[in-house]
Short mmCIF file of all heavy atoms in Angstrom, two decimals:
data_model
loop_
_atom_site.label_atom_id
_atom_site.label_comp_id
_atom_site.label_asym_id
_atom_site.label_seq_id
_atom_site.Cartn_x
_atom_site.Cartn_y
_atom_site.Cartn_z
N GLY A 1 0.81 -1.17 0.00
CA GLY A 1 0.02 0.02 0.00
C GLY A 1 0.83 1.23 -0.01
O GLY A 1 1.88 1.35 -0.67
N ASP A 2 0.36 2.20 0.74
CA ASP A 2 0.97 3.54 0.80
C ASP A 2 2.37 3.50 1.43
O ASP A 2 3.23 4.19 1.01
CB ASP A 2 0.04 4.46 1.55
CG ASP A 2 0.44 5.92 1.36
OD1 ASP A 2 0.89 6.25 0.26
OD2 ASP A 2 0.28 6.72 2.31
N ALA A 3 2.54 2.68 2.47
CA ALA A 3 3.80 2.58 3.14
C ALA A 3 4.90 2.03 2.27
O ALA A 3 6.05 2.44 2.27
CB ALA A 3 3.69 1.77 4.43
N SER A 4 4.53 1.02 1.46
CA SER A 4 5.55 0.44 0.57
C SER A 4 6.00 1.40 -0.52
O SER A 4 7.11 1.38 -0.93
CB SER A 4 5.03 -0.86 -0.03
OG SER A 4 3.87 -0.63 -0.83
N LEU A 5 5.04 2.24 -0.96
CA LEU A 5 5.41 3.23 -1.96
C LEU A 5 6.36 4.25 -1.40
O LEU A 5 7.31 4.69 -2.05
CB LEU A 5 4.14 3.97 -2.52
CG LEU A 5 3.31 3.13 -3.48
CD1 LEU A 5 2.05 3.94 -3.84
CD2 LEU A 5 4.09 2.78 -4.71
N ARG A 6 6.13 4.65 -0.12
CA ARG A 6 7.04 5.60 0.52
C ARG A 6 8.43 4.95 0.70
O ARG A 6 9.45 5.63 0.47
CB ARG A 6 6.51 6.00 1.91
CG ARG A 6 5.58 7.18 1.80
CD ARG A 6 5.23 7.71 3.16
NE ARG A 6 3.76 7.60 3.28
CZ ARG A 6 3.15 7.28 4.35
NH1 ARG A 6 3.79 7.04 5.47
NH2 ARG A 6 1.84 7.21 4.36
N PHE A 7 8.46 3.66 1.05
CA PHE A 7 9.73 2.99 1.21
C PHE A 7 10.48 2.94 -0.11
O PHE A 7 11.70 3.20 -0.14
CB PHE A 7 9.49 1.56 1.71
CG PHE A 7 10.73 0.76 1.83
CD1 PHE A 7 11.68 1.01 2.80
CD2 PHE A 7 10.98 -0.27 0.90
CE1 PHE A 7 12.86 0.28 2.86
CE2 PHE A 7 12.15 -1.01 0.96
CZ PHE A 7 13.10 -0.73 1.96
N LEU A 8 9.78 2.66 -1.20
CA LEU A 8 10.44 2.60 -2.51
C LEU A 8 10.94 3.97 -2.91
O LEU A 8 12.03 4.11 -3.49
CB LEU A 8 9.48 2.05 -3.56
CG LEU A 8 9.18 0.58 -3.48
CD1 LEU A 8 8.12 0.18 -4.50
CD2 LEU A 8 10.45 -0.22 -3.70
N PHE A 9 10.20 5.01 -2.60
CA PHE A 9 10.61 6.39 -2.91
C PHE A 9 11.90 6.75 -2.17
O PHE A 9 12.85 7.29 -2.71
CB PHE A 9 9.50 7.40 -2.61
CG PHE A 9 9.89 8.81 -2.88
CD1 PHE A 9 10.00 9.27 -4.16
CD2 PHE A 9 10.20 9.66 -1.82
CE1 PHE A 9 10.40 10.58 -4.41
CE2 PHE A 9 10.58 11.00 -2.06
CZ PHE A 9 10.69 11.43 -3.41
N VAL A 10 11.94 6.39 -0.88
CA VAL A 10 13.14 6.67 -0.07
C VAL A 10 14.32 5.89 -0.61
O VAL A 10 15.42 6.39 -0.70
CB VAL A 10 12.88 6.33 1.42
CG1 VAL A 10 14.14 6.30 2.22
CG2 VAL A 10 11.89 7.32 2.03
N LEU A 11 14.08 4.61 -0.94
CA LEU A 11 15.16 3.77 -1.48
C LEU A 11 15.73 4.34 -2.77
O LEU A 11 16.93 4.41 -2.94
CB LEU A 11 14.63 2.38 -1.71
CG LEU A 11 15.69 1.31 -1.99
CD1 LEU A 11 16.63 1.16 -0.79
CD2 LEU A 11 15.00 -0.04 -2.27
N THR A 12 14.87 4.76 -3.69
CA THR A 12 15.35 5.30 -4.98
C THR A 12 16.03 6.66 -4.75
O THR A 12 16.96 7.00 -5.46
CB THR A 12 14.21 5.46 -5.99
OG1 THR A 12 13.18 6.25 -5.45
CG2 THR A 12 13.70 4.12 -6.42
N SER A 13 15.55 7.45 -3.77
CA SER A 13 16.20 8.72 -3.48
C SER A 13 17.62 8.49 -2.95
O SER A 13 18.57 9.17 -3.36
CB SER A 13 15.40 9.51 -2.45
OG SER A 13 14.14 9.83 -2.96
N LEU A 14 17.79 7.49 -2.03
CA LEU A 14 19.12 7.21 -1.54
C LEU A 14 19.99 6.63 -2.64
O LEU A 14 21.22 6.91 -2.66
CB LEU A 14 19.01 6.20 -0.38
CG LEU A 14 18.39 6.71 0.91
CD1 LEU A 14 18.26 5.61 1.93
CD2 LEU A 14 19.23 7.86 1.47
N TRP A 15 19.44 5.89 -3.55
CA TRP A 15 20.22 5.35 -4.70
C TRP A 15 20.75 6.48 -5.53
O TRP A 15 21.87 6.40 -6.04
CB TRP A 15 19.32 4.39 -5.49
CG TRP A 15 20.04 3.67 -6.59
CD1 TRP A 15 20.22 4.09 -7.86
CD2 TRP A 15 20.71 2.43 -6.47
NE1 TRP A 15 20.95 3.15 -8.57
CE2 TRP A 15 21.27 2.12 -7.73
CE3 TRP A 15 20.91 1.50 -5.42
CZ2 TRP A 15 21.96 0.96 -7.98
CZ3 TRP A 15 21.63 0.37 -5.67
CH2 TRP A 15 22.14 0.09 -6.92
N ALA A 16 19.97 7.54 -5.72
CA ALA A 16 20.40 8.66 -6.56
C ALA A 16 21.43 9.51 -5.87
O ALA A 16 22.27 10.16 -6.54
CB ALA A 16 19.14 9.48 -6.93
N ILE A 17 21.42 9.55 -4.53
CA ILE A 17 22.37 10.36 -3.80
C ILE A 17 23.75 9.72 -3.70
O ILE A 17 24.75 10.41 -3.59
CB ILE A 17 21.79 10.64 -2.36
CG1 ILE A 17 20.57 11.53 -2.49
CG2 ILE A 17 22.82 11.29 -1.50
CD1 ILE A 17 19.82 11.71 -1.16
N GLY A 18 23.80 8.42 -3.80
CA GLY A 18 25.04 7.63 -3.57
C GLY A 18 26.25 8.12 -4.26
O GLY A 18 27.30 8.37 -3.61
N PRO A 19 26.26 8.29 -5.60
CA PRO A 19 27.50 8.76 -6.26
C PRO A 19 27.99 10.12 -5.79
O PRO A 19 29.18 10.32 -5.64
CB PRO A 19 27.11 8.82 -7.76
CG PRO A 19 25.94 7.88 -7.88
CD PRO A 19 25.22 7.95 -6.56
N GLY A 20 27.08 11.03 -5.52
CA GLY A 20 27.48 12.33 -5.01
C GLY A 20 28.15 12.26 -3.66
O GLY A 20 29.16 12.92 -3.41
N ILE A 21 27.61 11.40 -2.81
CA ILE A 21 28.22 11.23 -1.49
C ILE A 21 29.62 10.62 -1.61
O ILE A 21 30.56 11.01 -0.90
CB ILE A 21 27.30 10.35 -0.57
CG1 ILE A 21 26.09 11.16 -0.20
CG2 ILE A 21 28.05 9.87 0.66
CD1 ILE A 21 25.11 10.42 0.68
N LEU A 22 29.77 9.64 -2.52
CA LEU A 22 31.11 9.07 -2.71
C LEU A 22 32.10 10.08 -3.22
O LEU A 22 33.25 10.06 -2.79
CB LEU A 22 31.01 7.87 -3.67
CG LEU A 22 30.33 6.61 -3.14
CD1 LEU A 22 30.23 5.53 -4.23
CD2 LEU A 22 31.12 6.07 -1.94
N ILE A 23 31.70 10.92 -4.12
CA ILE A 23 32.57 11.95 -4.66
C ILE A 23 32.99 12.95 -3.55
O ILE A 23 34.17 13.27 -3.39
CB ILE A 23 31.89 12.73 -5.80
CG1 ILE A 23 31.74 11.78 -7.02
CG2 ILE A 23 32.67 13.98 -6.17
CD1 ILE A 23 30.88 12.36 -8.12
N MET A 24 32.01 13.32 -2.70
CA MET A 24 32.30 14.25 -1.59
C MET A 24 33.24 13.60 -0.55
O MET A 24 34.17 14.26 -0.08
CB MET A 24 31.05 14.71 -0.91
CG MET A 24 30.12 15.50 -1.74
SD MET A 24 30.84 16.96 -2.43
CE MET A 24 29.74 17.26 -3.76
N MET A 25 32.97 12.35 -0.23
CA MET A 25 33.82 11.67 0.75
C MET A 25 35.24 11.52 0.23
O MET A 25 36.20 11.69 0.97
CB MET A 25 33.20 10.34 1.14
CG MET A 25 32.00 10.44 2.02
SD MET A 25 31.33 8.85 2.49
CE MET A 25 32.68 8.26 3.49
N GLY A 26 35.38 11.22 -1.05
CA GLY A 26 36.71 11.10 -1.65
C GLY A 26 37.43 12.41 -1.62
O GLY A 26 38.63 12.47 -1.33
N ALA A 27 36.72 13.48 -1.93
CA ALA A 27 37.33 14.82 -1.88
C ALA A 27 37.77 15.21 -0.48
O ALA A 27 38.86 15.76 -0.27
CB ALA A 27 36.38 15.86 -2.46
N MET A 28 36.94 14.88 0.50
CA MET A 28 37.27 15.23 1.89
C MET A 28 38.42 14.39 2.41
O MET A 28 39.24 14.88 3.20
CB MET A 28 36.06 15.09 2.80
CG MET A 28 35.08 16.21 2.59
SD MET A 28 33.80 16.25 3.87
CE MET A 28 32.58 15.21 3.15
N GLN A 29 38.56 13.15 1.96
CA GLN A 29 39.70 12.33 2.39
C GLN A 29 41.01 12.82 1.76
O GLN A 29 42.07 12.53 2.28
CB GLN A 29 39.44 10.87 2.01
CG GLN A 29 38.43 10.21 2.92
CD GLN A 29 38.19 8.77 2.56
OE1 GLN A 29 38.58 8.31 1.45
NE2 GLN A 29 37.57 8.02 3.41
N GLY A 30 40.90 13.56 0.64
CA GLY A 30 42.07 14.07 0.02
C GLY A 30 42.64 15.32 0.66
O GLY A 30 43.75 15.74 0.32
N ILE A 31 41.92 15.89 1.62
CA ILE A 31 42.40 17.07 2.31
C ILE A 31 43.37 16.62 3.40
O ILE A 31 43.10 15.77 4.21
CB ILE A 31 41.27 17.87 2.97
CG1 ILE A 31 40.26 18.32 1.91
CG2 ILE A 31 41.77 19.07 3.73
CD1 ILE A 31 38.98 18.97 2.44
N SER A 32 44.58 17.26 3.38
CA SER A 32 45.63 16.90 4.33
C SER A 32 45.24 17.24 5.76
O SER A 32 44.68 18.34 6.01
CB SER A 32 46.88 17.61 3.95
OG SER A 32 47.94 17.33 4.88
N THR A 33 45.55 16.39 6.71
CA THR A 33 45.20 16.65 8.09
C THR A 33 46.07 17.80 8.68
O THR A 33 45.65 18.41 9.66
CB THR A 33 45.41 15.38 8.96
OG1 THR A 33 46.75 14.91 8.79
CG2 THR A 33 44.42 14.31 8.58
N GLU A 34 47.22 18.06 8.07
CA GLU A 34 48.08 19.13 8.54
C GLU A 34 47.39 20.51 8.43
O GLU A 34 47.64 21.38 9.24
CB GLU A 34 49.43 19.17 7.79
CG GLU A 34 50.37 18.05 8.14
CD GLU A 34 50.15 16.81 7.35
OE1 GLU A 34 49.35 16.82 6.39
OE2 GLU A 34 50.80 15.77 7.69
N ILE A 35 46.53 20.64 7.40
CA ILE A 35 45.82 21.90 7.25
C ILE A 35 44.89 22.11 8.41
O ILE A 35 44.81 23.22 8.97
CB ILE A 35 45.07 21.87 5.92
CG1 ILE A 35 46.03 21.80 4.74
CG2 ILE A 35 44.19 23.17 5.77
CD1 ILE A 35 45.35 21.61 3.38
N TYR A 36 44.16 21.06 8.81
CA TYR A 36 43.22 21.17 9.91
C TYR A 36 43.99 21.40 11.22
O TYR A 36 43.53 22.15 12.10
CB TYR A 36 42.36 19.92 10.02
CG TYR A 36 41.35 19.80 8.91
CD1 TYR A 36 41.44 18.81 7.97
CD2 TYR A 36 40.28 20.71 8.82
CE1 TYR A 36 40.51 18.68 6.97
CE2 TYR A 36 39.36 20.58 7.82
CZ TYR A 36 39.47 19.60 6.90
OH TYR A 36 38.53 19.50 5.89
N GLU A 37 45.13 20.73 11.40
CA GLU A 37 45.91 20.90 12.63
C GLU A 37 46.41 22.34 12.74
O GLU A 37 46.37 22.95 13.82
CB GLU A 37 47.09 19.94 12.63
CG GLU A 37 46.66 18.48 12.81
CD GLU A 37 47.81 17.48 12.67
OE1 GLU A 37 48.98 17.97 12.51
OE2 GLU A 37 47.56 16.32 12.68
N ALA A 38 46.90 22.89 11.64
CA ALA A 38 47.39 24.26 11.65
C ALA A 38 46.28 25.25 11.96
O ALA A 38 46.47 26.18 12.73
CB ALA A 38 48.03 24.61 10.30
N ALA A 39 45.08 25.03 11.39
CA ALA A 39 43.96 25.89 11.65
C ALA A 39 43.52 25.77 13.15
O ALA A 39 43.18 26.78 13.78
CB ALA A 39 42.78 25.56 10.76
N HIS A 40 43.58 24.56 13.69
CA HIS A 40 43.20 24.36 15.09
C HIS A 40 44.20 25.09 16.02
O HIS A 40 43.79 25.69 17.01
CB HIS A 40 43.19 22.85 15.39
CG HIS A 40 42.78 22.54 16.79
ND1 HIS A 40 41.48 22.74 17.24
CD2 HIS A 40 43.42 22.03 17.86
CE1 HIS A 40 41.38 22.38 18.50
NE2 HIS A 40 42.55 21.94 18.91
N ILE A 41 45.49 24.99 15.67
CA ILE A 41 46.51 25.70 16.48
C ILE A 41 46.27 27.18 16.42
O ILE A 41 46.48 27.91 17.40
CB ILE A 41 47.92 25.31 16.01
CG1 ILE A 41 48.21 23.86 16.39
CG2 ILE A 41 48.96 26.22 16.60
CD1 ILE A 41 49.46 23.27 15.80
N ASP A 42 45.84 27.69 15.24
CA ASP A 42 45.60 29.12 15.09
C ASP A 42 44.31 29.57 15.78
O ASP A 42 44.00 30.75 15.76
CB ASP A 42 45.53 29.49 13.58
CG ASP A 42 46.91 29.46 12.97
OD1 ASP A 42 47.91 29.52 13.70
OD2 ASP A 42 46.97 29.41 11.72
N GLY A 43 43.55 28.61 16.30
CA GLY A 43 42.37 28.97 17.08
C GLY A 43 41.06 28.87 16.30
O GLY A 43 40.05 29.39 16.75
N ALA A 44 41.07 28.20 15.13
CA ALA A 44 39.83 28.10 14.35
C ALA A 44 38.95 27.02 14.95
O ALA A 44 39.42 25.93 15.33
CB ALA A 44 40.17 27.72 12.89
N GLY A 45 37.66 27.30 15.08
CA GLY A 45 36.71 26.32 15.63
C GLY A 45 36.26 25.40 14.51
O GLY A 45 36.67 25.48 13.39
N ARG A 46 35.34 24.51 14.89
CA ARG A 46 34.85 23.53 13.91
C ARG A 46 34.14 24.19 12.72
O ARG A 46 34.38 23.78 11.59
CB ARG A 46 33.87 22.55 14.58
CG ARG A 46 34.53 21.53 15.45
CD ARG A 46 33.52 20.56 15.99
NE ARG A 46 34.17 19.57 16.79
CZ ARG A 46 33.71 18.35 16.99
NH1 ARG A 46 32.61 17.99 16.46
NH2 ARG A 46 34.39 17.49 17.73
N LEU A 47 33.26 25.11 13.00
CA LEU A 47 32.52 25.77 11.90
C LEU A 47 33.49 26.53 11.00
O LEU A 47 33.32 26.55 9.77
CB LEU A 47 31.44 26.65 12.44
CG LEU A 47 30.14 25.91 12.92
CD1 LEU A 47 29.20 26.94 13.53
CD2 LEU A 47 29.51 25.21 11.80
N THR A 48 34.40 27.23 11.61
CA THR A 48 35.39 28.01 10.80
C THR A 48 36.18 27.09 9.94
O THR A 48 36.38 27.38 8.74
CB THR A 48 36.32 28.82 11.75
OG1 THR A 48 35.50 29.65 12.59
CG2 THR A 48 37.27 29.67 10.93
N ARG A 49 36.62 25.96 10.48
CA ARG A 49 37.38 25.04 9.67
C ARG A 49 36.55 24.44 8.54
O ARG A 49 37.06 24.28 7.42
CB ARG A 49 37.95 23.89 10.52
CG ARG A 49 39.15 24.28 11.34
CD ARG A 49 39.71 23.19 12.17
NE ARG A 49 38.83 23.05 13.34
CZ ARG A 49 38.96 22.14 14.28
NH1 ARG A 49 39.88 21.20 14.18
NH2 ARG A 49 38.17 22.13 15.34
N PHE A 50 35.29 24.20 8.82
CA PHE A 50 34.41 23.62 7.79
C PHE A 50 34.19 24.62 6.67
O PHE A 50 34.36 24.29 5.50
CB PHE A 50 33.06 23.21 8.38
CG PHE A 50 32.11 22.59 7.39
CD1 PHE A 50 32.32 21.33 6.88
CD2 PHE A 50 31.02 23.33 6.92
CE1 PHE A 50 31.48 20.77 5.96
CE2 PHE A 50 30.16 22.80 5.99
CZ PHE A 50 30.39 21.50 5.50
N PHE A 51 33.85 25.90 7.00
CA PHE A 51 33.48 26.85 5.97
C PHE A 51 34.73 27.50 5.34
O PHE A 51 34.64 27.98 4.18
CB PHE A 51 32.57 27.92 6.54
CG PHE A 51 31.18 27.44 6.76
CD1 PHE A 51 30.67 27.23 8.01
CD2 PHE A 51 30.40 27.16 5.67
CE1 PHE A 51 29.42 26.80 8.26
CE2 PHE A 51 29.07 26.68 5.86
CZ PHE A 51 28.58 26.50 7.13
N LYS A 52 35.88 27.56 6.03
CA LYS A 52 37.03 28.22 5.45
C LYS A 52 38.04 27.25 4.86
O LYS A 52 38.93 27.66 4.15
CB LYS A 52 37.72 29.07 6.55
CG LYS A 52 36.88 30.12 7.14
CD LYS A 52 36.81 31.34 6.29
CE LYS A 52 36.00 32.44 6.97
NZ LYS A 52 36.08 33.69 6.26
N ILE A 53 37.98 25.95 5.21
CA ILE A 53 38.93 25.00 4.72
C ILE A 53 38.24 23.91 3.87
O ILE A 53 38.56 23.72 2.70
CB ILE A 53 39.75 24.35 5.88
CG1 ILE A 53 40.60 25.43 6.56
CG2 ILE A 53 40.64 23.24 5.33
CD1 ILE A 53 41.26 24.94 7.79
N THR A 54 37.29 23.24 4.48
CA THR A 54 36.68 22.08 3.83
C THR A 54 35.91 22.47 2.56
O THR A 54 36.18 21.93 1.50
CB THR A 54 35.74 21.35 4.79
OG1 THR A 54 36.48 20.98 5.98
CG2 THR A 54 35.21 20.06 4.16
N ILE A 55 34.98 23.38 2.71
CA ILE A 55 34.14 23.78 1.56
C ILE A 55 35.01 24.32 0.42
O ILE A 55 34.83 23.86 -0.73
CB ILE A 55 33.09 24.81 1.98
CG1 ILE A 55 32.10 24.17 2.93
CG2 ILE A 55 32.34 25.37 0.81
CD1 ILE A 55 31.23 23.08 2.35
N PRO A 56 35.96 25.25 0.65
CA PRO A 56 36.74 25.72 -0.52
C PRO A 56 37.60 24.62 -1.17
O PRO A 56 37.77 24.61 -2.39
CB PRO A 56 37.67 26.78 0.06
CG PRO A 56 36.94 27.29 1.27
CD PRO A 56 36.23 26.08 1.81
N LEU A 57 38.09 23.68 -0.39
CA LEU A 57 38.92 22.64 -0.99
C LEU A 57 38.15 21.55 -1.71
O LEU A 57 38.73 20.84 -2.52
CB LEU A 57 39.81 22.00 0.12
CG LEU A 57 40.94 22.89 0.60
CD1 LEU A 57 41.75 22.23 1.71
CD2 LEU A 57 41.85 23.32 -0.55
N ILE A 58 36.85 21.40 -1.38
CA ILE A 58 36.08 20.39 -2.12
C ILE A 58 35.20 21.00 -3.17
O ILE A 58 34.33 20.36 -3.77
CB ILE A 58 35.22 19.46 -1.18
CG1 ILE A 58 34.13 20.27 -0.46
CG2 ILE A 58 36.09 18.73 -0.16
CD1 ILE A 58 33.12 19.40 0.24
N THR A 59 35.41 22.29 -3.48
CA THR A 59 34.62 22.97 -4.47
C THR A 59 34.66 22.27 -5.87
O THR A 59 33.64 22.14 -6.52
CB THR A 59 35.06 24.45 -4.63
OG1 THR A 59 34.92 25.07 -3.34
CG2 THR A 59 34.23 25.19 -5.61
N PRO A 60 35.81 21.77 -6.31
CA PRO A 60 35.82 21.03 -7.60
C PRO A 60 34.94 19.82 -7.55
O PRO A 60 34.24 19.47 -8.52
CB PRO A 60 37.29 20.64 -7.77
CG PRO A 60 38.06 21.63 -7.02
CD PRO A 60 37.20 21.96 -5.83
N ALA A 61 34.88 19.09 -6.42
CA ALA A 61 34.04 17.91 -6.32
C ALA A 61 32.56 18.31 -6.29
O ALA A 61 31.69 17.61 -6.85
CB ALA A 61 34.38 17.15 -5.04
N ILE A 62 32.24 19.42 -5.65
CA ILE A 62 30.89 19.95 -5.66
C ILE A 62 30.45 20.25 -7.06
O ILE A 62 29.33 19.95 -7.51
CB ILE A 62 30.73 21.18 -4.69
CG1 ILE A 62 30.97 20.78 -3.25
CG2 ILE A 62 29.38 21.83 -4.88
CD1 ILE A 62 31.09 21.93 -2.28
N PHE A 63 31.35 20.92 -7.83
CA PHE A 63 31.06 21.26 -9.20
C PHE A 63 30.85 20.02 -10.05
O PHE A 63 29.93 19.96 -10.86
CB PHE A 63 32.18 22.14 -9.77
CG PHE A 63 31.96 22.54 -11.20
CD1 PHE A 63 31.01 23.49 -11.50
CD2 PHE A 63 32.73 22.00 -12.22
CE1 PHE A 63 30.78 23.87 -12.79
CE2 PHE A 63 32.53 22.39 -13.51
CZ PHE A 63 31.56 23.34 -13.81
N LEU A 64 31.70 19.01 -9.86
CA LEU A 64 31.57 17.78 -10.62
C LEU A 64 30.25 17.07 -10.30
O LEU A 64 29.56 16.61 -11.20
CB LEU A 64 32.71 16.79 -10.28
CG LEU A 64 32.63 15.40 -10.87
CD1 LEU A 64 32.76 15.44 -12.40
CD2 LEU A 64 33.67 14.49 -10.29
N SER A 65 29.89 17.06 -9.04
CA SER A 65 28.63 16.45 -8.65
C SER A 65 27.44 17.20 -9.24
O SER A 65 26.47 16.61 -9.71
CB SER A 65 28.54 16.39 -7.13
OG SER A 65 27.34 15.79 -6.72
N LEU A 66 27.52 18.53 -9.25
CA LEU A 66 26.48 19.35 -9.85
C LEU A 66 26.33 19.08 -11.32
O LEU A 66 25.23 18.89 -11.82
CB LEU A 66 26.77 20.83 -9.60
CG LEU A 66 25.77 21.85 -10.15
CD1 LEU A 66 24.47 21.74 -9.35
CD2 LEU A 66 26.33 23.23 -10.13
N VAL A 67 27.46 19.03 -12.04
CA VAL A 67 27.42 18.72 -13.48
C VAL A 67 26.85 17.36 -13.75
O VAL A 67 26.03 17.18 -14.65
CB VAL A 67 28.83 18.91 -14.07
CG1 VAL A 67 28.87 18.36 -15.49
CG2 VAL A 67 29.27 20.36 -14.04
N LEU A 68 27.24 16.36 -12.98
CA LEU A 68 26.71 15.00 -13.18
C LEU A 68 25.21 14.94 -12.95
O LEU A 68 24.48 14.32 -13.68
CB LEU A 68 27.41 14.02 -12.25
CG LEU A 68 28.86 13.70 -12.61
CD1 LEU A 68 29.47 12.78 -11.56
CD2 LEU A 68 28.95 13.03 -13.96
N ASN A 69 24.75 15.64 -11.89
CA ASN A 69 23.35 15.68 -11.61
C ASN A 69 22.57 16.42 -12.70
O ASN A 69 21.45 15.98 -13.08
CB ASN A 69 23.04 16.30 -10.23
CG ASN A 69 23.41 15.37 -9.12
OD1 ASN A 69 23.38 14.12 -9.27
ND2 ASN A 69 23.74 15.91 -7.96
N LEU A 70 23.12 17.51 -13.19
CA LEU A 70 22.41 18.24 -14.25
C LEU A 70 22.34 17.46 -15.54
O LEU A 70 21.36 17.49 -16.23
CB LEU A 70 23.11 19.60 -14.52
CG LEU A 70 22.84 20.65 -13.47
CD1 LEU A 70 23.69 21.93 -13.76
CD2 LEU A 70 21.37 21.02 -13.39
N THR A 71 23.43 16.74 -15.86
CA THR A 71 23.37 15.94 -17.10
C THR A 71 22.40 14.75 -16.92
O THR A 71 21.75 14.34 -17.88
CB THR A 71 24.73 15.37 -17.48
OG1 THR A 71 25.30 14.67 -16.35
CG2 THR A 71 25.68 16.50 -17.85
N ALA A 72 22.27 14.23 -15.72
CA ALA A 72 21.29 13.15 -15.48
C ALA A 72 19.86 13.71 -15.60
O ALA A 72 19.01 13.00 -16.12
CB ALA A 72 21.51 12.57 -14.10
N VAL A 73 19.65 14.95 -15.13
CA VAL A 73 18.31 15.47 -15.23
C VAL A 73 17.90 15.75 -16.67
O VAL A 73 16.80 15.45 -17.11
CB VAL A 73 18.23 16.79 -14.40
CG1 VAL A 73 16.94 17.58 -14.71
CG2 VAL A 73 18.28 16.48 -12.92
N PHE A 74 18.82 16.36 -17.43
CA PHE A 74 18.49 16.74 -18.81
C PHE A 74 18.78 15.65 -19.81
O PHE A 74 18.49 15.79 -20.99
CB PHE A 74 19.22 18.08 -19.19
CG PHE A 74 18.73 19.23 -18.42
CD1 PHE A 74 19.54 19.86 -17.51
CD2 PHE A 74 17.44 19.71 -18.59
CE1 PHE A 74 19.10 20.96 -16.80
CE2 PHE A 74 16.98 20.77 -17.86
CZ PHE A 74 17.79 21.39 -16.97
N GLY A 75 19.51 14.60 -19.40
CA GLY A 75 19.87 13.56 -20.31
C GLY A 75 18.86 12.56 -20.41
O GLY A 75 18.04 12.00 -20.87
#
């Protein structure tokens, strides 16, 4: 019934998100820990490190994921 349709929708949504998550995780693993250590020593908090280090360094992966999703939508 209705519950099984919701379950299938959630399952297909997670299936579509998978490649983007893998790309982001790979990009984040490529960031050197020394950068985070230096920022921590300089007094940067978690949010500052996320917005000033992580996001700028994974911007190419975000762009790649965006392009892949756009080509999937229009393709």
